[in-house]
Amino acid sequence: LGSIRCYCLKALTIASERQQHRVQHGPCSYTFILPEVEHCRPLKDIQVTNTLQSDSPPEPESDTSQTKQSKSQKERPSWQERKLQSLESAMENNTQWLQKLENFIQENVRSGMEEIKRTAVHTQTAAMLEMGTNLLSQSAEQTRKLTDVETQVLNQTSRLEIQLLEYSLFTNRLEKHILLQTQEISRLSDKNSFLEQRLLALEGRYGRELKGLQSEKQQLQELLERQSQLVSQLQSELGSSSLNSTLMQRQQAMLTDTVQQLLAKASHCNEISNMPEEEPLSFKDCAEILRSGVKESGIYSIRLHNSTQTVKVFCDMKTRGGGWTVIQHRRNGSVDFHRGWRDYKMGFGEPSGEHWLGNDIIHKLTSSQDYSLHVQLRDREGNEAYSHYDHFYIDGEDNNYSLHADSFSGTAGRTSSLSHTGCQFSTKDRDNDRCTCKCAQLASGGWWFEACGPSNLNGIYYPASSSVVRYNSIKWYYWKGPNLITTMTTMMVRPANF
């Protein structure tokens, strides 16, 4: 026992002096005492394996002969020695097993660490590559979007620049057109002013000539009456005096020649004065003239209701049963309709040609009883159309000849082109329209303009060969729009109960 204790103490002392090995694996730590192999002498019959070693000695083989048993009995040491040898063998086995375990752990730990490092590196590299790919994809997408936006902005900018250029060109053309129209209007206004002055001068001269001719006619008529009286007296004297018959016959022949000359002069004066034969003054409109038996269209005299005033008018006895009193007529542009308030009030032109009957006369005529209005139109292709209003009249000058017309029918458009009821009459020198501009100046003529509406039969007469659409021409919009070139217009009235 003493020897065993000494051996164990020696072994512990040796073990404490041996090298220690520490391995850190995750949260666990392993400490190993490494044996000193160079001081150990391994037994030849001990096989080192990875399995745990037993502390008990190996059992003797069953096939050992009796001779060996006898010999082992003679040479068999004491049990203390056997025990010590067994301990030494077990210690040696454990030492070798620990060395292998250490080598295995070191190799596995090293390979595991390298594998972990490689895996971590690969993982980080893959993650970085994936992040880089995502960043490149996002960058490419953002670049593409920015390129698209830039392209759209450039396209929009180009379109806006093109539109701006077109608007600028259109504005320039419009300004040039407006300037030309302004110059044309100014030129026409100057020409109209000159023509008006010339016309006034001609009217004054012709008025004076007409007065002179009328006075001369009066003198000739008085002379004719005196000569007629003288002839009558001579004839009576001729009947009472037969002695002087020859002389009286000569005087009668001379007087007859004188009378014929006077009659010829009187006829000549009648032709110069262009005074038609007077009709009976008992008719108040053309409808009564038609009822009296007159069937031919022409110029007749009418006496206005409750007035001694007689007026020469043109009667249309053919259109839609006849009996129409014409209040406006245009056919060739021979009369200027761009006139002032007074002309439209009193009337102008000749009833046999282009004329305006006069707002005062139209008011007195249409206020005497219920009248209807008929508007007849013809374009340059010869197409005719009409607009009919069952009830029509205009107020007096104190209400600016306000228009009243309703119950529209006809072929000159599905809608009436005539201004609405209550619209006042306007001329170039008296503006009564509902527009800030002066419609009578822009559209020309005198009319019920309202707000420069869709009709103006008193505008400038342009020839049929003209193809330019002009704002100041004759207009009846709802028949053929602004492109109407009218060659004939007629406005006429007739009693509504005709």
Side-chain angles (χ1 to χ4, degrees):
L1 290 173
S3 61
I4 292 172
R5 186 179 298 112
C6 292
Y7 181 79
C8 292
L9 292 172
K10 185 177 180 181
L12 292 173
T13 303
I14 294 172
S16 62
E17 293 176 356
R18 289 182 180 178
Q19 184 178 2
Q20 295 181 357
H21 181 73
R22 182 180 299 274
V23 177
Q24 185 73 30
H25 185 67
C28 300
S29 176
Y30 301 92
T31 304
F32 300 97
I33 299 175
L34 301 179
E36 296 179 1
V37 182
E38 63 271 12
H39 298 290
C40 298
R41 290 176 296 176
L43 297 177
K44 297 180 180 180
D45 55 352
I46 296 176
Q47 296 181 356
V48 179
T49 64
N50 289 333
T51 60
L52 295 175
Q53 302 296 320
S54 176
D55 290 342
S56 62
E59 296 181 356
E61 298 179 358
S62 60
D63 57 351
T64 306
S65 62
Q66 295 293 330
T67 304
K68 290 183 179 181
Q69 291 178 357
S70 300
K71 188 176 180 178
S72 60
Q73 290 177 356
K74 293 180 180 180
E75 297 178 356
R76 183 176 53 186
S78 62
W79 65 274
Q80 293 87 354
E81 292 178 353
R82 289 197 301 273
K83 187 65 175 179
L84 182 60
Q85 290 177 359
S86 297
L87 291 172
E88 289 177 354
S89 297
M91 183 65 71
E92 188 68 24
N93 289 336
N94 290 333
T95 301
Q96 293 179 1
W97 183 79
L98 289 173
Q99 287 179 351
K100 283 191 173 186
L101 181 60
E102 180 184 7
N103 294 331
F104 177 75
I105 289 172
Q106 289 179 353
E107 291 176 359
N108 287 338
V109 168
R110 187 181 299 111
S111 62
M113 292 299 291
E114 291 177 355
E115 184 66 24
I116 289 172
K117 290 180 180 179
R118 286 195 299 272
T119 303
V121 170
H122 290 164
T123 302
Q124 293 179 358
T125 304
M128 292 178 67
L129 288 175
E130 185 177 359
M131 291 174 63
T133 304
N134 291 335
L135 289 174
L136 288 175
S137 300
Q138 294 178 1
S139 177
E141 183 68 19
Q142 293 296 330
T143 303
R144 185 183 63 79
K145 290 182 178 179
L146 289 175
T147 304
D148 294 341
V149 171
E150 183 178 0
T151 303
Q152 293 177 2
V153 170
L154 289 175
N155 292 336
Q156 189 69 17
T157 304
S158 300
R159 287 196 296 269
L160 290 175
E161 290 178 352
I162 293 172
Q163 291 179 358
L164 183 60
L165 181 59
E166 292 177 352
Y167 291 156
S168 177
L169 294 175
F170 178 74
T171 303
N172 292 334
R173 290 197 298 269
L174 186 59
E175 289 178 353
K176 292 180 181 178
H177 184 69
I178 291 174
L179 181 60
L180 292 175
Q181 290 295 329
T182 305
Q183 294 175 355
E184 182 71 13
I185 291 172
S186 177
R187 186 179 65 81
L188 290 175
S189 298
D190 296 339
K191 185 176 180 181
N192 287 335
S193 299
F194 173 74
L195 291 175
E196 286 178 358
Q197 294 175 359
R198 185 176 177 183
L199 183 60
L200 290 175
L202 290 174
E203 287 179 350
R205 189 180 69 182
Y206 290 150
R208 291 190 297 270
E209 291 180 355
L210 182 60
K211 288 181 180 179
L213 290 174
Q214 288 177 349
S215 62
E216 185 179 355
K217 177 185 175 183
Q218 187 68 28
Q219 294 174 2
L220 290 175
Q221 288 177 349
E222 292 175 356
L223 180 60
L224 181 60
E225 290 177 357
R226 289 196 300 269
Q227 293 294 334
S228 298
Q229 294 174 1
L230 181 60
V231 170
S232 299
Q233 183 179 0
L234 290 174
Q235 286 177 352
S236 62
E237 291 178 359
L238 181 62
S240 63
S241 178
S242 58
L243 297 176
N244 299 325
S245 59
T246 304
L247 180 61
M248 292 298 293
Q249 287 177 356
R250 291 178 182 176
Q251 290 180 354
Q252 184 179 4
M254 293 175 62
L255 289 174
T256 302
D257 293 337
T258 305
V259 170
Q260 289 179 353
Q261 291 177 2
L262 292 174
L263 291 174
K265 288 184 179 180
S267 299
H268 180 66
C269 291
N270 288 333
E271 292 177 358
I272 293 175
S273 61
N274 195 23
M275 293 295 292
E277 296 182 359
E278 295 183 357
E279 298 292 336
L281 302 177
S282 60
F283 302 116
K284 64 180 181 180
D285 57 24
C286 293
E288 288 191 353
I289 296 176
L290 180 64
R291 289 192 182 101
S292 69
V294 178
K295 304 296 183 182
E296 296 297 327
S297 300
I299 301 174
Y300 299 91
S301 294
I302 62 173
R303 185 190 299 272
L304 299 178
H305 181 67
N306 292 333
S307 173
T308 59
Q309 181 182 3
T310 60
V311 181
K312 293 292 184 179
V313 296
F314 187 89
C315 296
D316 185 341
M317 303 300 188
K318 304 297 182 182
T319 303
R320 296 173 64 88
W324 296 101
T325 303
V326 177
I327 63 175
Q328 187 260 19
H329 181 65
R330 305 189 72 180
R331 63 185 181 185
N332 54 18
S334 60
V335 175
D336 180 23
F337 274 68
H338 189 49
R339 294 171 176 258
W341 183 266
R342 183 179 180 278
D343 288 342
Y344 274 97
K345 173 183 177 180
M346 304 303 296
F348 54 87
E350 292 296 331
S352 60
E354 294 195 339
H355 72 284
W356 179 261
L357 186 58
N359 289 336
D360 273 351
I361 300 174
I362 297 173
H363 163 64
K364 293 176 181 178
L365 179 64
T366 57
S367 299
S368 62
Q369 59 177 324
D370 193 9
Y371 274 80
S372 62
L373 171 67
H374 188 79
V375 179
Q376 193 76 24
L377 303 170
R378 182 191 301 134
D379 65 7
R380 59 182 175 182
E381 285 82 17
N383 302 314
E384 292 191 0
Y386 71 91
S387 293
H388 185 82
Y389 301 86
D390 291 340
H391 304 284
F392 168 78
Y393 71 94
I394 65 173
D395 293 332
E397 187 177 12
D398 53 347
N399 287 330
N400 295 320
Y401 304 114
S402 297
L403 174 69
H404 299 271
D406 55 23
S407 300
F408 163 78
S409 63
T411 59
R414 292 178 295 179
T415 304
S416 171
S417 295
L418 193 63
S419 301
H420 296 91
T421 294
C423 182
Q424 298 181 354
F425 198 83
S426 294
T427 59
K428 63 181 181 179
D429 56 349
R430 185 175 294 189
D431 183 28
N432 295 315
D433 56 46
R434 299 178 184 176
C435 182
T436 55
C437 61
K438 293 184 177 181
C439 297
Q441 288 285 0
L442 294 176
S444 181
W447 193 252
W448 298 277
F449 285 107
E450 192 172 10
C452 303
S455 65
N456 178 18
L457 297 185
N458 293 335
I460 295 178
Y461 187 99
Y462 288 101
S465 59
S466 176
S467 60
V468 180
V469 179
R470 301 180 186 272
Y471 184 76
N472 57 357
S473 63
I474 298 174
K475 181 169 59 174
W476 199 260
Y477 183 83
Y478 291 110
W479 181 29
K480 289 191 175 181
N483 297 322
L484 172 64
I485 301 296
T486 304
T487 59
M488 187 275 292
T489 68
T490 304
M491 298 175 65
M492 43 194 177
V493 295
R494 185 176 67 182
N497 59 357
F498 181 81

